[in-house]
């Protein structure tokens, strides 16, 4: 079994900051790409950012310059530092990871349960 557990969501005022965490646990041989997606009410889930095991990161245009993803490979954990938050950042944020459970296994896609981020006065 593999689990992704997110934490760090909450309510913040516009212009404020939040830091999300996502830890992968269970039977893991290798964690490849990890990232964050979000889904606002009435909208489709969208890509926010990702980072591979070599620390190469990609960002959606909406996240560039405000969000920073980082990774601790020893802990199979990623972090999302979100600054200058806007009301339109309000969404459920989901952690995603491509994980191989054995030496000869292919990567499988895993999702966390999601954490709510609300940006409002």
């Amino acid at each position: 079994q593999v689990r992704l557990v997110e934490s760090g969501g909450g309510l913040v005022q516009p212009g404020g900051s939040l830091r999300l965490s996502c830890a992968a646990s269970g039977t893991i041989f290798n964690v490849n790409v990890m990232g964050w997606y979000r889904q606002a009410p009435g909208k489709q889930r969208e890509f926010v950012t990702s980072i591979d095991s070599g620390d190469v990161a990609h960002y959606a245009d909406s996240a560039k310059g405000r969000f920073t993803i980082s990774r601790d490979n020893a802990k199979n954990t990623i972090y999302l530092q979100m600054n200058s938050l806007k009301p339109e950042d309000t969404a459920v944020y989901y952690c995603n990871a491509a994980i191989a459970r054995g030496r000869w296994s292919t990567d499988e896609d895993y999702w966390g349960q999601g954490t709510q981020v609300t940006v409002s006065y």
Side-chain angles (χ1 to χ4, degrees), residues 42-114:
K43 295 187 176 181
Q44 289 189 330
R45 191 173 297 188
E46 63 177 9
F47 170 79
V48 177
T49 180
S50 66
I51 187 167
D52 66 19
S53 56
D55 283 343
V56 176
H58 298 277
Y59 295 92
D61 287 344
S62 59
K64 288 178 182 177
R66 299 188 300 126
F67 294 2
T68 302
I69 190 170
S70 60
R71 177 170 179 153
D72 184 336
N73 289 325
K75 296 181 179 179
N76 289 331
T77 299
I78 57 171
Y79 307 94
L80 180 62
Q81 178 66 42
M82 302 187 293
N83 299 327
S84 302
L85 282 162
K86 306 173 183 180
E88 50 264 44
D89 294 317
T90 296
V92 178
Y93 283 71
Y94 295 92
C95 179
N96 172 257
I99 295 174
R101 299 180 62 189
R103 176 181 291 275
W104 309 114
S105 301
T106 57
D107 287 350
E108 296 179 63
D109 207 35
Y110 293 90
W111 292 90
Q113 80 285 355

